[in-house]
Amino acid sequence: MNINKICLNKTLLLLFIVLVFSLFSTCPALSYPLEFTDSGGNIITIDKKPERIISLVPSITEIIFKIGAGDSVKAVTYHDTYPGEASSKEIVGGFFSPSLNKIEEMQPDIIFCSRIQQPLKNKFEYGKCKLINLETDSIADSFKNINLLGKIFNKEKNAADIVDEIKNRLKVIKKKITKIHKSKRKRVLRLMGRDPIMTPGDDSFQNEMIRAAGGISPVLDKKGNTVITKEEWMKFNPQVIYGCGGDRETAKKFFNRPGWKDVDAVKNGKIFFFPCDLTCRASTNTGYFVSWLSSVIYTNEFSKKENQVLEEKVFKSSRLDLNLDYIKDARILYSHIHDFQNKTLVINFKKPLSVVSTLEGQRNGIDLVGNHYSPPPCWGIGHKSGLKGVRERVYQVIGKSDKNSSFLFTGADMDNLSIKKQRFREMEILAMVTAGVKSNAVRMSKDAGRYYEPGTINIILLPNMKLTSRAMTRAIISATEAKTAALMDLDIRSSYSSKLHRATGTGTDNIIVVKGEGIRIDSSGGHTKMGELISKAVYEGVQEAIFKQNCLYAGRNIFQRLRERRISMYGLVSSAKCDCMPEKNKTVGALEELLLEPFYSGFIESALALSDDCEKGLLDNLYAYNLQCKRVAEKIAGKNIKELKDLVGIDDIPVVLRSALNSLLNGIYFRNNGI
């Protein structure tokens, strides 16, 4: 036998074994069957990857989508608004009283639930689907849940990366805090909107977040969400108070009263509000929120360069292919500024061009344009240094000069950039849009020009032809009209008069129009093909950017649209003008059940549109509409109603919407009371 041939065969066999081993070693290990004990002490066994999930816990929903398992989720509550993909799933009611009938119709194989959802346990505990309770009482619990869900959905690597990212953010903040002397640490209290005022107890992850941010949390010898007395309030004397958006009303109500107003935070105006998605859960954004909270508490200290722990430099870039002849290169640069990750869109030209910028005016000899994103932890620091200081810092870090650069600045994440192209024959326009509308949307001609929170729509227009100066300035009008049309068609509400008005823009919107090269174009108005292309690209870009940044789209559910008007189910029931609804939680559940039915949700949706037109003076007579409201109430009650009661106790709801909501409450009232 040929010895060389035998050796060759053995070598090939060995190589084959090594290749097969390496292939299998790079594949994620299957984790089924998986057995674990949930927070309720129940032993759970999962034999295969879940396919029909209902998540009734926003923090768990957030994790499932973040690890890349969102396709398995079939339904959520209307409180699940982050990430955006979650809000497009089927809705089965609210977190506190999900619809058992709706859940049963969905036939899930797994339901992620909370300990407070006891009726769910009573109905489904012995059914075919598994109930899994994963509570998050600490930051450590959140890490445990992220890793466990990674195993459940066979996404362990993704889960581990998320945990590492959170821990790294917390480490940076810890290093920054060590540079601040203990005598300068501030007392911080989490406000929770109730009457009386409530705050998290000593065992809450929310106080753990305060401590991770370098703050001093109160010690009240109480557990769970608890009432804080005026005496405890004054004794702790918070220097910083924060809450979520729903706590603003409590702040307005209490912070002008003796004792409550006499603490340092109120006297010095150190009261801040954050998105509920961040304040009310420990999940995938814990590091992000702690960073933001810490920068709010210690804005002065964090603005000093000697307190930085990371080198200010670009550490990563992502290339964009814009396919325009005069563009040399386009990319997003990722950098650390003030120890927080910033992101900058940079578009380099092959030779200098003219631009028109609503931020800087007309400029010539520009080599590059861009759009810079400063994350929330940088907002307070940037406010101190002003736009000039922010611009200088950014240019220094990314290695550019203000002499030949023209940039826009935004609080909308550059990873949510929308790029839209429109073409007609040889004519083409590219619109690059970032948009944030939840905090600073305005209705021009109606809202006052006053202090604002960050929120901006930025647009960069890149034509493939040469625009004259007239065409460049006219393009601003075409783009602005398209932007406003996009906001109106999405029913984006004014941040300052949300119940009454749709927004026309934000108070800080800006546009850059690049001159371009090629065939000369002298006009870009509404009666030109260039104007048409600009408007279409901007319209599509604005709507997509808003969805990416704020999770808002035309088909969003009725609960979210009411929430955008600052109308909640609990608020409607708790403010009822009589004591006819003593069991408030049951009434809230009944109201949510109604709005899960297309007939009633459609009725309220039509009321939203009619309400806007009525407030503009376009509706003269509401007699037929009021008759319809009475019929809806009778349909719910299952009987004739002689006269509707005035139950809606929220004062600033417009008349049309008030009548529609009042009909739902009346229907529930007369059905329950048998009158």
Side-chain angles (χ1 to χ4, degrees):
M1 185 178 289
N2 190 322
I3 299 298
N4 291 332
K5 189 174 182 181
I6 293 174
C7 291
L8 178 62
N9 288 338
K10 285 184 176 180
T11 302
L12 291 174
L13 179 61
L14 181 62
L15 287 172
F16 176 75
I17 292 171
V18 170
L19 177 62
V20 170
F21 178 79
S22 64
L23 286 173
F24 277 98
S25 65
T26 58
C27 294
L30 296 178
S31 55
Y32 313 115
L34 174 67
E35 185 174 287
F36 60 92
T37 302
D38 74 358
S39 300
N42 306 298
I43 298 175
I44 308 293
T45 302
I46 296 179
D47 299 317
K48 62 178 182 177
K49 182 181 177 181
E51 296 179 350
R52 296 189 60 81
I53 298 294
I54 292 181
S55 178
L56 304 179
V57 185
S59 61
I60 299 302
T61 304
E62 181 179 314
I63 295 170
I64 294 172
F65 277 88
K66 187 75 171 181
I67 64 175
D71 289 346
S72 300
V73 177
K74 302 306 175 187
V76 297
T77 73
Y78 67 79
H79 290 99
D80 293 79
T81 57
Y82 179 86
E85 298 91 334
S87 63
S88 64
K89 297 290 183 177
E90 187 86 18
I91 301 298
V92 290
F95 169 71
F96 296 100
S97 51
S99 170
L100 303 185
N101 293 332
K102 192 77 172 176
I103 292 171
E104 191 172 33
E105 289 174 10
M106 301 286 297
Q107 296 184 331
D109 47 26
I110 289 178
I111 302 173
F112 288 102
C113 59
S114 166
R115 63 168 73 100
I116 71 168
Q117 295 160 340
Q118 189 60 39
L120 186 82
K121 183 177 179 180
N122 296 339
K123 185 173 180 68
F124 293 102
E125 187 171 22
Y126 302 106
K128 293 181 179 179
C129 69
K130 291 180 172 67
L131 294 181
I132 301 178
N133 172 216
L134 300 178
E135 298 293 339
T136 309
D137 297 321
S138 66
I139 294 176
D141 283 347
S142 72
F143 295 156
K144 179 181 176 183
N145 289 342
I146 292 169
N147 285 320
L148 175 58
L149 288 164
K151 290 180 180 179
I152 291 174
F153 292 97
N154 202 28
K155 300 282 186 179
E156 292 179 74
K157 175 65 166 60
N158 295 0
D161 289 345
I162 292 167
V163 171
D164 286 344
E165 181 188 1
I166 297 169
K167 288 182 177 179
N168 287 335
R169 285 182 184 250
L170 295 177
K171 285 178 184 176
V172 169
I173 294 301
K174 186 175 182 179
K175 288 180 180 179
K176 293 178 74 66
I177 294 303
T178 57
K179 293 175 177 285
I180 302 172
H181 194 272
K182 290 185 177 181
S183 63
K184 294 184 178 180
R185 302 287 175 85
K186 295 181 181 178
R187 298 179 301 279
V188 182
L189 185 138
R190 162 67 159 107
L191 171 71
M192 301 183 72
R194 295 289 188 275
D195 187 356
I197 284 182
M198 298 184 72
T199 194
D202 301 344
D203 60 339
S204 171
F205 68 82
Q206 300 194 47
N207 281 324
E208 188 181 0
M209 287 179 172
I210 289 174
R211 294 189 293 273
I216 301 168
S217 62
V219 178
L220 303 174
D221 294 323
K222 300 176 184 178
K223 294 184 178 181
N225 296 336
T226 183
V227 172
I228 181 169
T229 66
K230 184 165 68 172
E231 291 71 26
E232 290 170 328
W233 175 270
M234 295 179 68
K235 181 180 179 181
F236 180 63
N237 186 21
Q239 295 164 289
V240 175
I241 296 170
Y242 78 92
C244 65
D247 301 320
R248 291 179 188 270
E249 294 304 314
T250 298
K252 289 179 184 177
K253 186 174 182 180
F254 278 86
F255 291 174
N256 59 1
R257 297 181 180 179
W260 300 102
K261 67 177 181 179
D262 300 320
V263 297
D264 290 348
V266 178
K267 289 189 288 187
N268 297 324
K270 297 298 182 181
I271 305 165
F272 304 94
F273 298 96
F274 299 91
C276 185
D277 294 340
L278 300 179
T279 61
C280 300
R281 68 184 70 155
S283 192
T284 65
N285 282 315
T286 297
Y288 173 72
F289 173 62
V290 168
S291 299
W292 190 357
L293 177 61
S294 188
S295 72
V296 164
I297 300 170
Y298 300 110
T299 301
N300 291 333
E301 291 80 0
F302 281 15
S303 64
K304 297 174 181 177
K305 206 153 190 175
E306 60 265 28
N307 287 333
Q308 289 182 203
V309 299
L310 299 175
E311 182 183 356
E312 289 198 333
K313 66 176 183 178
V314 175
F315 62 87
K316 185 178 75 170
S317 72
S318 176
R319 191 175 181 277
L320 303 173
D321 185 10
L322 300 186
N323 196 28
L324 285 171
D325 290 342
Y326 58 86
I327 292 180
K328 179 181 179 181
D329 180 74
R331 62 184 62 239
I332 296 175
L333 305 178
Y334 298 79
S335 61
H336 285 127
I337 300 178
H338 300 295
D339 289 329
F340 304 111
Q341 187 180 120
N342 285 236
K343 303 170 188 177
T344 314
L345 169 67
V346 178
I347 304 167
N348 288 278
F349 303 142
K350 292 179 179 177
K351 65 179 185 180
L353 294 173
S354 297
V355 304
V356 170
S357 166
T358 54
L359 187 63
E360 300 176 326
Q362 181 159 345
R363 297 190 62 194
N364 302 317
I366 297 300
D367 289 328
L368 68 156
V369 295
N371 190 9
H372 177 79
Y373 160 65
S374 293
C378 289
W379 291 353
I381 300 170
H383 182 72
K384 281 178 64 65
S385 63
L387 179 59
K388 184 175 184 294
V390 171
R391 182 189 282 114
E392 290 175 353
R393 193 74 165 253
V394 170
Y395 285 167
Q396 181 182 5
V397 172
I398 66 174
K400 306 301 178 184
S401 169
D402 61 352
K403 294 180 180 179
N404 61 345
S405 304
S406 181
F407 274 62
L408 303 178
F409 298 85
T410 182
D413 196 321
M414 210 53 58
D415 287 343
N416 295 328
L417 173 71
S418 173
I419 304 175
K420 292 296 179 181
K421 182 183 292 186
Q422 286 289 327
R423 186 179 183 89
F424 176 76
R425 296 179 182 172
E426 294 80 21
M427 183 180 290
E428 185 176 283
I429 189 74
L430 205 65
M432 309 187 76
V433 185
T434 54
V437 297
K438 278 195 172 179
S439 59
N440 186 27
V442 297
R443 174 75 174 198
M444 294 300 287
S445 79
K446 295 295 183 182
D447 293 330
R450 58 187 181 187
Y451 175 80
Y452 59 89
E453 295 182 4
T456 297
I457 300 174
N458 279 348
I459 301 167
I460 297 176
L461 295 177
L462 301 163
N464 72 337
M465 297 182 175
K466 183 184 291 185
L467 303 183
T468 64
S469 295
R470 184 173 78 157
M472 290 167 71
T473 52
R474 185 61 179 82
I476 294 173
I477 294 180
S478 296
T480 301
E481 289 178 359
K483 173 200 70 177
T484 298
L487 296 179
M488 300 286 280
D489 291 351
L490 280 176
D491 189 32
I492 302 301
R493 308 307 294 180
S494 162
S495 301
Y496 308 97
S497 52
S498 59
K499 293 184 181 68
L500 298 174
H501 301 127
R502 293 175 178 173
T504 53
T506 84
T508 52
D509 294 348
N510 276 300
I511 299 174
I512 288 178
V513 183
V514 176
K515 185 171 187 175
E517 287 196 323
I519 299 172
R520 184 174 182 271
I521 301 293
D522 192 44
S523 183
S524 57
H527 294 294
T528 69
K529 187 55 68 174
M530 178 59 78
E532 174 192 328
L533 298 184
I534 288 172
S535 64
K536 286 182 177 179
V538 169
Y539 181 92
E540 292 177 3
V542 168
Q543 291 210 341
E544 181 178 78
I546 288 172
F547 173 74
K548 287 182 172 183
Q549 180 71 25
N550 296 139
C551 314
L552 301 177
Y553 62 101
R556 59 196 185 274
N557 62 71
I558 188 61
F559 300 101
Q560 187 168 344
R561 295 186 66 192
L562 287 171
R563 188 164 52 240
E564 290 159 19
R565 290 162 171 79
R566 298 191 175 94
I567 299 172
S568 70
M569 301 298 101
Y570 185 84
L572 277 173
V573 173
S574 62
S575 65
K577 291 184 178 179
C578 65
D579 295 328
C580 51
M581 296 177 179
E583 297 186 68
K584 290 184 171 57
N585 289 336
K586 286 187 177 180
T587 304
V588 169
L591 190 57
E592 291 172 346
E593 286 274 3
L594 287 177
L595 290 176
L596 290 173
E597 296 184 33
F599 177 86
Y600 297 108
S601 63
F603 169 64
I604 298 299
E605 286 171 348
S606 65
L608 299 181
L610 288 172
S611 181
D612 283 347
D613 280 349
C614 184
E615 294 305 309
K616 297 171 193 169
L618 297 175
L619 294 180
D620 184 52
N621 192 315
L622 295 175
Y623 178 75
Y625 171 75
N626 289 330
L627 283 180
Q628 178 65 14
C629 288
K630 186 170 183 291
R631 292 191 184 109
V632 168
E634 291 173 339
K635 178 179 174 66
I636 297 168
K639 64 189 73 172
N640 292 330
I641 300 173
K642 183 177 180 180
E643 184 177 356
L644 297 184
K645 295 178 175 289
D646 183 15
L647 297 179
V648 176
I650 302 175
D651 294 333
D652 58 347
I653 296 182
V655 59
V656 169
L657 185 54
R658 174 181 293 273
S659 296
L661 295 171
N662 198 47
S663 68
L664 299 188
L665 292 177
N666 271 267
I668 294 170
Y669 167 72
F670 282 105
R671 181 180 65 191
N672 291 348
N673 288 277
I675 298 175

